[in-house]
Amino acid sequence: MKYYIIAGEASGDLHGSNLMKALYEEDKKADIRFWGGDLMQSIGGTLVTHYKERSFMGFAEVILNLKTILGFIKFCKKDIEIFNPDVIVFIDNSGFNLRIAKWAKEEGYKTHYYISPQVWASRAGRVKKIKRDVDAMYTILPFEKPFYDKYGYAVNFVGHPLIDAVSNRNLVDENVFRQEYGLSNKPIIALLPGSRKQEIKKMLDVMLSVIDDYTDYQFVIAGAPSQDFSFYKSIIQSRAIAFINNKTYDLLSVSFAALVTSGTATLEAALFKVPQVVCYKANAISYQIAKRIITLKYISLVNLIMDREVVTELIQADLNTKRLKKELGTILNPEKRNQLFLDYYELEKKLGGKGASKKTAKLIFEAIKN
């Protein structure tokens, strides 16, 4: 069978790689062509375009880069026609993928979607188009199936792939890790400023502003695989802080606490049982637009899944040195940490256990085989 997979950004690359691995187990002769990143490329198949070539964040940024994005959409359609797949599998990345899905369905291709667009967060009216354009949807968050049920759209809840990604990783010897990266014996506070340049610029500077107030701790920046150190260096400047690139899971596994940019990383920190403060600051225009269309009580996946405030969220103006310093102090407190650990264990139960990628691959294979 021929599979065409479209993923965007680092998290899509991670989940795409695990899905590809599972598809190769289901279909030994699978021919996979994909948009993704280094992790997907390491599994096999043919990489068409790397996600870092089209990494745009926020409404304003998308508008400014609209011509480039439209060019990618045109190229993608042409590439699909040439490859002529048995199925197209979309992974998250709704702004791009839903446009391709509409065209693909009209052209008669089978369309499957792994990791639902966040229609439960804003513009729920898109469900009507998703029902029209997507043959099968595989959701990873427990509240998504009941949401879609309200609209008469039957979806498959497969569990969250991060559980597999975290549990299947190679374990790290903390002493060896510290030695390898020249870290001290102080407890580690990880800084996860995101993966896109726009968010790193906005988040990292304020994260770095608190390090002088916590000299008993070792702060370490988790570098994204899509960005060079020279970019981070322009923000770090002369500050003495450790930097480790493309080893976020290893870093979280030995961390005492973390400051985390809102997104998949909030859930990753929770699964590693790392107390965290969630940070988010967007372009002012993008934020004002988002505020008017997003209907959620929370922005972090941890709080959304638990449907209550488990981790503190510092959003826009609240993300400042004074507040961040205060909230970091709170999660270093033993009593608060114990409560967070209990909440994190409850969160993991809600996520549905292991095997999301295998379940999804099996469902896709069975659907197109028949």
Side-chain angles (χ1 to χ4, degrees):
M1 299 290 184
K2 295 167 77 175
Y3 305 81
Y4 198 98
I5 303 175
I6 309 175
E9 67 188 29
S11 61
D13 182 35
L14 171 65
H15 302 321
S17 68
N18 288 323
L19 178 64
M20 285 172 64
K21 203 181 299 180
L23 281 171
Y24 281 127
E25 289 174 8
E26 283 291 329
D27 183 356
K28 304 298 182 190
K29 296 181 180 178
D31 183 3
I32 302 177
R33 190 170 175 84
F34 63 92
W35 294 48
D38 298 343
L39 294 175
M40 293 173 76
Q41 197 169 16
S42 71
I43 303 301
T46 304
L47 173 66
V48 181
T49 301
H50 200 289
Y51 68 80
K52 65 184 177 185
E53 293 180 36
R54 53 190 186 95
S55 182
F56 306 110
M57 173 193 171
F59 299 101
E61 288 79 7
V62 168
I63 291 167
L64 290 171
N65 292 281
L66 194 56
K67 186 177 179 181
T68 303
I69 294 166
L70 292 174
F72 278 125
I73 290 171
K74 184 179 179 181
F75 170 72
C76 184
K77 290 175 181 177
K78 190 68 180 173
D79 196 58
I80 289 170
E81 286 179 334
I82 294 169
F83 186 60
N84 192 28
D86 293 290
V87 63
I88 303 171
V89 182
F90 304 98
I91 299 179
D92 202 359
N93 197 30
S94 63
F96 188 87
N97 278 339
L98 288 178
R99 286 173 173 80
I100 300 295
K102 180 179 185 297
W103 167 85
K105 183 67 175 176
E106 289 170 352
E107 294 296 313
Y109 294 103
K110 288 183 178 176
T111 54
H112 288 221
Y113 215 118
Y114 180 41
I115 306 179
S116 168
Q118 295 180 352
V119 286
W120 37 267
S122 66
R123 295 175 288 160
R126 289 180 293 168
V127 175
K128 186 177 178 183
K129 293 178 181 178
I130 290 171
K131 280 178 68 176
R132 180 193 68 200
D133 300 332
V134 177
D135 296 322
M137 173 71 73
Y138 310 102
T139 66
I140 64 171
L141 297 171
F143 57 78
E144 289 176 319
K145 185 169 173 53
F147 169 83
Y148 277 116
D149 285 344
K150 289 191 299 184
Y151 294 89
Y153 184 42
V155 302
N156 306 280
F157 172 56
V158 294
H160 206 292
L162 278 183
I163 292 179
D164 290 335
V166 170
S167 62
N168 294 340
R169 68 186 180 84
N170 295 323
L171 295 179
V172 172
D173 182 307
E174 183 171 348
N175 291 327
V176 172
F177 182 83
R178 286 177 180 272
Q179 206 168 18
E180 183 180 351
Y181 293 103
L183 303 179
S184 70
N185 291 323
K186 294 177 181 179
I188 293 170
I189 298 177
L191 304 184
L192 278 63
S195 60
R196 300 181 183 97
K197 283 188 175 178
Q198 298 104 312
E199 61 187 355
I200 295 169
K201 280 180 183 176
K202 291 186 180 299
M203 247 62 71
L204 185 54
D205 198 49
V206 68
M207 288 178 176
L208 292 172
S209 72
V210 303
I211 64 176
D212 290 339
D213 295 297
Y214 291 94
T215 53
D216 291 337
Y217 296 86
Q218 165 93 77
F219 286 81
V220 183
I221 299 169
S226 56
Q227 307 298 340
D228 295 328
F229 176 66
S230 58
F231 171 66
Y232 290 93
K233 186 62 181 171
S234 67
I235 304 168
I236 297 168
Q237 296 179 353
S238 60
R239 295 181 182 98
I241 186 166
F243 175 89
I244 300 176
N245 192 52
N246 199 20
K247 294 284 181 184
T248 301
Y249 280 14
D250 291 351
L251 177 59
L252 284 173
S253 73
V254 299
S255 291
F256 190 74
L259 305 181
V260 185
T261 296
S262 179
T264 305
T266 62
L267 196 52
E268 291 170 325
L271 291 174
F272 277 99
K273 310 299 184 289
V274 180
Q276 63 182 297
V277 180
V278 177
C279 307
Y280 181 77
K281 186 174 282 191
N283 171 290
I285 297 170
S286 296
Y287 176 71
Q288 289 303 322
I289 295 171
K291 202 166 72 165
R292 284 159 175 75
I293 65 171
I294 292 175
T295 57
L296 301 173
K297 287 188 288 183
Y298 309 107
I299 62 166
S300 70
L301 285 170
V302 175
N303 291 345
L304 285 168
I305 294 165
M306 295 293 281
D307 196 27
R308 58 187 173 86
E309 186 179 279
V310 170
V311 294
T312 298
E313 301 176 350
L314 298 181
I315 305 170
Q316 213 65 4
D318 286 336
L319 181 58
N320 57 64
T321 302
K322 185 178 178 182
R323 280 296 307 278
L324 192 57
K325 178 183 170 183
K326 176 179 177 290
E327 298 303 338
L328 176 55
T330 301
I331 63 168
L332 298 177
N333 176 281
E335 189 177 337
K336 176 64 175 178
R337 294 173 66 79
N338 289 337
Q339 183 56 54
L340 276 171
F341 294 144
L342 292 173
D343 289 334
Y344 283 167
Y345 284 116
E346 185 183 339
L347 169 78
E348 194 165 350
K349 285 181 186 175
K350 286 177 178 281
L351 288 174
K354 297 180 181 179
S357 303
K358 287 185 178 181
K359 290 174 198 168
T360 305
K362 188 175 182 64
L363 288 166
I364 292 171
F365 180 63
E366 292 298 328
I368 62 172
K369 186 178 71 172
N370 298 327

